[in-house]
């Protein structure tokens, strides 16, 4: 979840007073501009305002457009986004999906996080939208990407389904993260790749981890391999060597032997 930080003072004064009853686009535009321009910290009022805006957005595409524009124009306004996003993400309008996909292509981590949160609550079934989502995600599978963004991508991947060909492409695109300096990201990449891999070659980055000195990562690698249905001679030979290596932990060696029973 996006961390709560300071947002708009005038958000409360204008929106939560009689201004909340405003319905024409000029009034709403003015309110949303004020809502995203001045610092404010009142969580209770921010929640009420977000609820009111979502209620109006459900009944008016015009209001929804104004709300989405305000969200895009104020990526640092995370208190506003925190209470707006959960209900906004459930709005069935394609405008919400399109906005989320656009935010994912931004170079700003806050934009990317907002886009990821919006998409994670939606099922993307349209083929063009799925392709746009894949391309956006591929650009985030980079060691230079914000670490919170990468963590949220792993969560998103669990909430969406893709074609067999797309799984192959995902496994390929995730390869660079196997060498990420953050151990948690590396471990998560192993499990994601093991889930998506379509051939032995795509699992070799996980197999290579068995030769490292990092016991935590070796444990993750073994667990990831145990969850993959892909088999191959290189993987089998590596697991045999690992299982017979007395320097490895007893638990990991036992896990390697268990995987070998499926060969």
């Amino acid at each position: 979840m996006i961390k709560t930080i300071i947002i708009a003072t005038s958000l409360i004064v204008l929106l939560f007073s009689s201004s909340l009853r405003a319905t024409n686009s000029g009034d709403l535009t003015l309110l949303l501009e004020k809502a995203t321009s001045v610092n404010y910290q009142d969580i209770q009022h921010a929640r009420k305002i977000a609820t009111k805006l979502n209620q109006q957005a459900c009944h008016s595409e015009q209001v929804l457009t104004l709300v989405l524009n305000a969200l895009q124009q104020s990526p640092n306004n995370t208190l506003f986004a925190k209470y707006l996003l959960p209900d906004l993400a459930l709005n069935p309008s394609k405008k919400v999906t399109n906005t989320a996909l656009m935010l994912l292509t931004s170079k700003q981590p806050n934009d990317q996080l907002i886009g990821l949160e919006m998409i994670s609550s939606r099922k993307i079934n349209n083929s063009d939208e799925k392709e746009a989502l894949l391309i956006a995600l591929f650009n985030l599978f980079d060691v230079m990407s914000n670490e919170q963004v990468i963590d949220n991508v792993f969560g998103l991947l669990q909430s969406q389904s893709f074609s067999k060909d797309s799984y192959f492409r995902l496994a390929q695109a995730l390869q660079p993260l196997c060498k990420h300096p953050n151990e948690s990201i590396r471990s998560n990449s192993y499990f994601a790749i093991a889930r998506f891999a379509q051939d032995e070659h795509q699992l070799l980055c996980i197999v290579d981890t068995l030769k490292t000195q990092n016991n935590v990562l070796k444990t993750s690698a073994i667990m990831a391999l145990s969850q993959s249905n892909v088999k191959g001679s290189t993987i089998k030979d590596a697991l045999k060597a690992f299982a017979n290596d007395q320097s490895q932990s007893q638990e990991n060696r036992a896990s390697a032997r268990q995987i070998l029973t499926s060969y």
Side-chain angles (χ1 to χ4, degrees), residues 7 51 59 115 135 189 192 197-198 202-203:
I7 72 161
T51 298
H59 300 291
I135 292 173
S189 72
Q198 302 295 308
Q202 293 184 316
L203 294 176

Side-chain angles (χ1 to χ4, degrees), residues 165-205:
D165 175 66
S166 295
Y167 284 138
F168 177 87
R169 293 164 63 197
L170 280 166
Q172 287 295 105
L174 282 161
Q175 298 289 318
L177 296 185
C178 281
K179 300 184 182 300
H180 199 283
N182 183 308
E183 284 187 4
S184 176
I185 289 177
R186 288 180 70 174
S187 292
N188 284 331
S189 72
Y190 299 159
F191 288 102
I193 290 171
R195 176 188 170 197
F196 300 139
Q198 302 295 308
D199 60 42
E200 181 182 35
H201 180 76
Q202 293 184 316
L203 294 176
L204 295 185
C205 63

Side-chain angles (χ1 to χ4, degrees), residues 36-88:
T36 57
S37 63
V38 185
N39 292 334
Y40 191 76
Q41 292 178 296
D42 193 316
I43 294 174
Q44 182 178 0
H45 285 90
R47 184 187 291 115
K48 290 179 179 178
I49 291 162
T51 298
K52 185 66 176 181
L53 287 173
N54 273 317
Q55 288 172 347
Q56 293 190 23
C58 283
H59 300 291
S60 169
E61 284 283 302
Q62 188 177 36
V63 174
L64 176 61
T65 298
L66 291 170
V67 171
L68 290 172
N69 287 342
L71 191 64
Q72 294 174 70
Q73 293 164 10
S74 56
N76 293 318
N77 195 353
T78 55
L79 186 60
F80 179 55
K82 176 182 175 70
Y83 296 110
L84 189 71
L85 286 177
D87 288 334
L88 181 62

